Amino acid sequence: MKRFDHFINGQWTAPATGNYLDSENPATGKPWSQIAQGTEADVNEAVAAAQKAFDGEWGAMTATRRGELIWRMGDVLLQNVDKLAELETLDNGRILSDMKGIVGYLAEFFRYYGGLADKIEGAVPPVEKPNYFNYTRHEPFGVVAALVPWNSPLLLTVWKLAPGLAAGNTFVVKPHEFASAGALELASLMAEAGFPAGTVNVVTGLGQDVGVPLVAHPDVRKIAFTGGDVAGRAIAKSAADDFKPITLELGGKSPNIIFADADLDAAAKGTVMGMFTTNGQACVACSRVLVHKDVAEKFNERLIYHTSAARLGDPMSKDTDMGPLISASHFDRVMGFVNEAREQGASCILGGEKSTREGLEAGYFLEPTILGNITNDMRIAQEEVFGPVMACLTFEDEEEAIRIANDTRYGLGAGLWTEDMRRAFRVSNRLQAGSVYVNSFRVVSYMSPFGGYKQSGIGRENGLEAIREYQQTKSVWFNLNEDAPAPFGKPYG
């Protein structure tokens, strides 16, 4: 099997203990590689390398030069699309055709933030104090800990690296143990592209062995995390001990509202795209569908039709639309949600079982599942399942739709489908979500901020706002007075 070491200080580095973890291919249920099983000793080495780079070559580099290197990574990604996409597909089961598109698109993130690197300006406030000159600077924090999940590891790593590096920080990345290969290869490519040693380091392993000491490390000055709210809460508590700033994206239970006047076929296709093309393993997947009772039957017909067309199979094949869930334990967790919902009275409109399609028996394949007769107090409607399981509810009027949509502790995304643009503005303003999609779902751009309300997180990724997440503001004062008054009215001498 292929073996991956840590990537520390610009080179592949064996784990301090010499131990490795198997990484499974979820399509086959068999190990395909091994990753270094890191410990606190490896974390300390990586943080020291990142600190040295920040204090040295990377920190001394002009913003323009940093931007040139970051921009160059866009070209490097495009030259390595096939390699990076294949690693991601082997590691987490996302279909290869999607991964190639994602890797290619990530080039634009590096170019966008590379272009912004030397355009981060301070200000000269017109302060009211005579004979004082004041200006502000936006400065990096230093070493940033970036912790990324298994569902889109390369994408979510770049979402942190591109703005954070443009802001002048260095990084230690901790990918999930289920899917570490992409982040490791990316760090290696960045070193080849000319980034100084230690600018981006990757330490792999289990959360308690690597993530916990990384978050708590005294030289880590900023934490960026994407993952579940349980881990996010633990990270926030740890960060509070040293008052470290945090950016957290913690998932959601995103509602998708289908009004009676919507184009039902477009709404059904958009709903399937927003849910099943990622196998439901996306933080902003539209896992709660709210349909006006007058069109529920017609909409469900279209929803079932378009969902049923999904081809489950080998994620490396160009003929596959949906791949497997990430692991056996996650498969069991998702099925637990489905079975509990059935016990509570939900009807299974489609799917709901492990796939029996030929050749898929050994992998973690779940048929795309649509559940009806759902009420919003059921666990299936309140908690993030993170699998291809859609909960369908009905509503009678606009007020009820908004009430149900907002009745969750999450607030990452929300969608609505209507031909009435007055309604679209009215409802989108009242939905409690960081992103609202009108007649669409699950759209992102490097130019537009992404993040959550409520327990879906803190801070924003992407857009101009993301750079501010990785900077602190300094206010500098110059005294222009030729003489200073005696503080207590008695001049010296």
Side-chain angles (χ1 to χ4, degrees):
M1 289 188 295
K2 185 173 179 60
R3 174 173 284 187
F4 293 94
D5 287 327
H6 304 307
F7 195 84
I8 299 175
N9 203 32
Q11 59 188 353
W12 296 104
T13 305
T17 63
N19 296 328
Y20 292 81
L21 297 168
D22 286 346
S23 181
E24 282 188 351
N25 178 345
T28 64
K30 298 177 181 179
W32 76 278
S33 67
Q34 291 184 321
I35 61 166
Q37 186 172 1
T39 60
E40 187 171 358
D42 302 300
V43 169
N44 292 340
E45 184 179 356
V47 173
Q51 187 67 57
K52 183 178 179 181
F54 181 75
D55 292 336
E57 187 175 355
W58 182 254
M61 196 177 291
T62 65
T64 299
R65 174 59 178 150
R66 286 201 310 267
E68 289 171 353
L69 282 173
I70 296 166
W71 180 283
R72 183 185 302 170
M73 276 308 300
D75 296 333
V76 173
L77 280 189
L78 293 178
Q79 293 163 8
N80 290 273
V81 166
D82 290 344
K83 178 195 293 186
L84 290 167
E86 288 175 8
L87 286 174
E88 289 282 88
T89 296
L90 287 169
D91 235 2
N92 76 349
R94 288 284 296 270
I95 63 174
L96 184 60
S97 57
D98 276 1
M99 286 314 310
K100 287 183 178 182
I102 289 172
V103 174
Y105 186 54
L106 287 178
E108 299 300 327
F109 285 76
F110 280 117
R111 289 170 172 169
Y112 177 74
Y113 287 106
L116 283 175
D118 60 0
K119 299 168 185 66
I120 306 167
E121 299 178 348
V124 181
V127 293
E128 83 290 357
K129 303 182 184 303
N131 298 320
Y132 279 90
F133 175 74
N134 174 248
Y135 68 90
T136 62
R137 288 169 49 87
H138 300 294
E139 299 182 346
F141 288 104
V143 179
V144 177
L147 299 95
V148 296
W150 48 258
N151 62 314
S152 296
L154 193 57
L155 179 143
L156 295 171
T157 298
V158 171
W159 280 18
K160 295 164 180 55
L161 290 182
L165 292 170
N169 301 279
T170 57
F171 277 82
V172 177
V173 180
K174 194 281 178 193
H176 196 281
E177 61 270 20
F178 287 171
S180 299
L184 288 164
E185 185 64 25
L186 177 66
S188 174
L189 290 172
M190 295 182 81
E192 292 177 14
F195 283 79
T199 304
V200 177
N201 309 272
V202 181
V203 180
T204 60
L206 302 175
Q208 65 267 27
D209 298 334
V210 176
V212 171
L214 177 59
V215 168
H217 197 290
D219 289 338
V220 168
R221 302 300 171 85
K222 158 79 181 183
I223 301 164
F225 170 76
T226 301
D229 54 350
V230 174
R233 191 171 290 108
I235 287 170
K237 289 179 180 178
S238 177
D241 289 340
D242 297 318
F243 302 104
K244 294 175 183 175
I246 53 177
T247 302
L248 304 175
E249 194 268 276
L250 305 178
K253 195 67 184 175
S254 301
N256 189 30
I257 306 170
I258 316 299
F259 286 102
D261 68 331
D263 180 331
L264 296 183
D265 193 56
K269 289 186 285 190
T271 299
V272 172
M273 288 290 295
M275 180 65 187
F276 293 116
T277 54
T278 60
N279 211 9
Q281 296 180 131
C283 51
V284 75
C286 52
S287 55
R288 283 190 304 152
V289 179
L290 285 56
V291 188
H292 192 281
K293 64 180 183 61
D294 290 347
V295 297
E297 185 175 348
K298 292 180 180 179
F299 175 78
N300 286 345
E301 289 176 359
R302 291 162 172 79
L303 184 65
I304 293 168
Y305 174 83
H306 291 296
T307 304
S308 299
R311 298 169 295 179
L312 272 68
D314 179 359
M316 301 293 283
S317 170
K318 64 180 181 179
D319 297 323
T320 297
D321 299 313
M322 285 178 59
L325 296 177
I326 186 65
S327 67
S329 60
H330 187 59
F331 181 92
D332 291 342
R333 178 182 179 274
V334 173
M335 282 302 304
F337 275 99
V338 174
N339 292 334
E340 180 182 302
R342 283 169 165 159
E343 292 169 0
Q344 294 176 344
S347 59
C348 193
I349 300 173
L350 185 70
E353 303 292 344
K354 189 178 192 301
S355 179
T356 58
R357 304 186 195 196
E358 184 177 356
L360 306 184
E361 299 85 359
Y364 310 123
F365 292 88
L366 176 64
E367 291 289 336
T369 299
I370 302 173
L371 300 176
N373 293 333
I374 301 295
T375 58
N376 207 49
D377 58 348
M378 292 181 178
R379 194 163 75 103
I380 194 76
Q382 289 294 319
E383 296 190 19
E384 188 175 41
V385 177
F386 223 64
V389 180
M390 181 181 291
C392 293
L393 303 86
T394 59
F395 65 90
E396 293 191 1
D397 56 33
E398 184 177 304
E399 285 299 317
E400 185 182 22
I402 295 170
R403 179 184 60 78
I404 294 173
N406 290 337
D407 182 18
T408 170
R409 72 178 187 271
Y410 294 111
L412 188 60
L416 64 112
W417 298 77
T418 179
E419 296 299 297
D420 184 342
M421 289 300 103
R422 291 185 179 88
R423 169 183 281 153
F425 276 101
R426 188 168 62 240
V427 174
S428 63
N429 288 341
R430 294 181 61 189
L431 290 173
Q432 297 169 0
S435 296
V436 176
Y437 309 101
V438 178
N439 294 333
S440 63
F441 209 95
R442 202 171 56 81
V443 184
V444 295
S445 169
Y446 49 88
M447 297 183 185
S448 182
F450 180 84
Y453 283 19
K454 299 188 283 188
Q455 293 187 33
S456 282
I458 299 171
R460 292 294 180 268
E461 297 189 293
N462 303 339
L464 288 170
E465 291 187 38
I467 280 192
R468 299 299 187 212
E469 295 283 341
Y470 292 96
Q471 292 181 320
Q472 49 198 341
T473 303
K474 176 183 288 182
S475 180
V476 181
W477 291 87
F478 280 76
N479 180 3
L480 304 180
N481 289 288
E482 294 184 3
D483 190 20
F488 301 113
K490 187 177 180 180
Y492 178 76

